[in-house]
Amino acid sequence: MRRHDLDWLRVIVFGLLIFYHVGMFFVPWGFHIKNDIIYPDLRWPMLFVNQWRLPILFVISGMGTYYALSKRSGGHFAKERIQRLLLPLMVGILLVVPPQVYFERLDKGQFTEGYFEFWPSQAFIGVYPEGNFSWHHLWFLPYLLLFSLVLIPAFLYLRNHPQSWLLKKMTVLASRPFGLFWLIIPLYLWESLLEPFFPSTHALWGDWFNVVNYITLFFFGFLLISVKDIFWKTVLQNRRKYLYCGLVGFTLLIGLRQVYADSTLIHFIEAFFKVFNLWAWILALFGYAAAYLNRPSTALTYANESVYPFYILHQTFTIAIGFYLMHLDWGFWPKFLVMSAGTFGFSWLVYEFGIRRWKWIRPLFGLKQSKPEGVGKRIYA
């Protein structure tokens, strides 16, 4: 049975990504271009979303892999993953990301000529940030491709052995209101022991904390959906408890960061609240989605297909619009609203008239060549 709540969660979280990247234009954190005026307090809502936004995407992707493998051989699945992830990544690197680098170079005074003097002659010289070659926001695709291919043997074993020890253990954990919180143990180990030594780079090689952390969450997604009947019942019944846990966890996490700046002991305590917080919100979101979003709709059908091209396209429009707004004396809300509306609007125009209707263009952005008929034709990226 198809889970429409997973589709909605996927659409909502990727939608939040657009607002998040617009917000990066205004906060003190590093980004490709920045507004003239920085708004430090904006980082608090962004920090809240940042705790669970990427983790839940990898969990949902692991769940989608379960469905994708249910009717495919390992070889067929690998071929499909390469087509749907590697091809859009290559197109993104060649066509979508270079304008982002171009506007950054203009902003920093490192290039002064027109775009077609930059692309393609300068766009692929050297590796970013020193050079211009990069996958920027598309880093999610090579990570997901790597995880999908590496874990094929494990996933096939679990698919073919539903009575394996691991799945029996997952059944026991998923049947208890707080049993699934045992899964934060490996997340805590990675957060406390790896994260301090391997800062996030999204470069794949050398980005060991992110690789280990996200592949764990991806694997968890496959495990959870393997015991789906018990899992959905548990998160549905206990969603309010998970919400309270998330509120407490985030409050304590922020409190620790405010009171204690640098302390080895506090790092280990903070790491616990961080993984506890993100896992509580993930379970709460699954629970509330199961309660209110598990129903089909024409809007969901359209949004579910469009979300992948929107993800590929959106940051280029965000940066391009931001470049022309950054020196204007407009204030926060006018700029934020124009950048958000412009990013959604231009992404929709390109998707609707330049991608969706053309069967030879669709695969370049991760879509099936033929437009799906009705609800239920899409598998999660």
Side-chain angles (χ1 to χ4, degrees):
M1 179 179 178
R2 186 175 182 84
R3 298 293 312 196
H4 302 289
D5 44 2
L6 285 181
D7 292 333
W8 273 119
L9 277 176
R10 180 173 173 270
V11 169
I12 291 168
V13 174
F14 271 116
L16 284 174
L17 176 65
I18 293 179
F19 292 113
Y20 184 86
H21 281 159
V22 172
M24 288 293 293
F25 182 66
F26 299 98
V27 294
W29 304 335
F31 195 56
H32 307 293
I33 62 173
K34 305 296 291 188
N35 188 44
D36 280 353
I37 299 175
I38 300 300
Y39 300 87
D41 289 343
L42 182 62
R43 72 188 188 276
W44 297 117
M46 292 181 63
L47 179 62
F48 166 70
V49 173
N50 205 32
Q51 295 297 301
W52 48 263
R53 177 180 56 85
L54 284 171
I56 198 173
L57 279 178
F58 279 104
V59 173
I60 292 173
S61 296
M63 292 176 167
T65 299
Y66 172 89
Y67 290 111
L69 264 177
S70 63
K71 298 180 180 179
R72 291 178 173 89
S73 66
H76 188 191
F77 172 76
K79 179 181 177 181
E80 185 267 347
R81 291 287 88 181
I82 291 171
Q83 290 175 341
R84 293 200 63 232
L85 295 171
L86 184 59
L87 181 58
L89 175 64
M90 295 173 63
V91 170
I93 290 174
L94 291 174
L95 300 177
V96 179
V97 173
Q100 301 177 33
V101 181
Y102 170 71
F103 283 114
E104 181 178 350
R105 297 299 178 229
L106 289 182
D107 177 47
K108 295 179 178 178
Q110 297 168 335
F111 197 81
T112 57
E113 300 180 64
Y115 180 69
F116 289 104
E117 281 72 41
F118 176 80
W119 186 92
S121 62
Q122 304 293 317
F124 310 107
I125 297 177
V127 177
Y128 185 88
E130 290 77 15
N132 297 325
F133 180 82
S134 176
W135 51 43
H136 269 35
H137 67 294
L138 301 181
W139 67 267
F140 181 80
L141 302 183
Y143 283 62
L144 189 56
L145 178 60
L146 173 66
F147 302 163
S148 300
L149 299 181
V150 166
L151 289 176
I152 285 177
F155 289 158
L156 290 177
Y157 177 83
L158 293 172
R159 184 191 71 178
N160 297 330
H161 297 84
Q163 297 302 315
S164 65
W165 173 87
L166 184 56
L167 292 183
K168 287 183 178 180
K169 189 65 176 178
M170 282 300 302
T171 300
V172 173
L173 295 179
S175 64
R176 300 169 180 170
F178 293 98
L180 291 173
F181 277 88
W182 286 102
L183 295 180
I184 71 174
I185 292 176
L187 300 179
Y188 173 72
L189 293 176
W190 314 149
E191 184 69 37
S192 60
L193 300 178
L194 280 181
E195 192 274 339
F197 303 102
F198 298 101
S200 178
T201 65
H202 297 152
L204 193 60
W205 183 258
D207 193 23
W208 301 121
F209 166 69
N210 279 334
V211 169
V212 172
N213 191 52
Y214 290 142
I215 198 173
T216 302
L217 290 160
F218 182 71
F219 186 66
F220 283 174
F222 191 96
L223 290 179
L224 293 174
I225 210 68
S226 297
V227 295
K228 50 187 175 293
D229 293 338
I230 297 173
F231 168 73
W232 289 118
K233 180 181 178 181
T234 298
V235 295
L236 183 63
Q237 292 177 345
N238 297 281
R239 62 188 185 275
R240 186 171 296 179
K241 296 176 184 175
Y242 302 145
L243 175 62
Y244 293 154
C245 287
L247 291 171
V248 171
F250 185 70
T251 301
L252 292 174
L253 176 64
I254 296 302
L256 282 171
R257 291 187 175 183
Q258 290 293 92
V259 176
Y260 301 98
D262 296 304
S263 168
T264 302
L265 177 61
I266 294 301
H267 164 73
F268 286 97
I269 298 174
E270 179 186 316
F272 171 78
F273 284 115
K274 183 176 180 180
V275 297
F276 177 84
N277 170 67
L278 75 85
W279 195 242
W281 284 107
I282 287 174
L283 296 180
L285 288 167
F286 280 136
Y288 280 96
Y292 300 108
L293 298 178
N294 193 23
R295 54 184 63 90
S297 73
T298 54
L300 176 60
T301 303
Y302 186 89
N304 198 32
E305 185 189 42
S306 66
V307 68
Y308 194 5
F310 266 60
Y311 158 68
I312 294 171
L313 295 168
H314 79 278
Q315 186 165 284
T316 295
F317 293 119
T318 298
I319 290 176
I321 297 169
F323 178 80
Y324 292 105
L325 295 182
M326 59 197 306
H327 300 305
L328 297 182
D329 187 21
W330 279 15
F332 169 74
W333 281 111
K335 288 186 180 182
F336 182 86
L337 293 174
V338 168
M339 289 179 69
S340 299
T343 299
F344 276 103
F346 284 117
S347 297
W348 177 79
L349 285 172
V350 173
Y351 166 70
E352 180 63 30
F353 299 104
I355 299 173
R356 178 173 178 262
R357 301 163 187 248
W358 309 96
K359 68 177 183 178
W360 299 111
I361 302 297
R362 291 170 59 87
L364 302 181
F365 291 86
L367 305 181
K368 293 181 179 180
Q369 196 170 58
S370 58
K371 186 179 176 182
E373 299 176 0
V375 181
K377 293 293 186 180
R378 184 171 175 82
I379 46 180
Y380 312 100

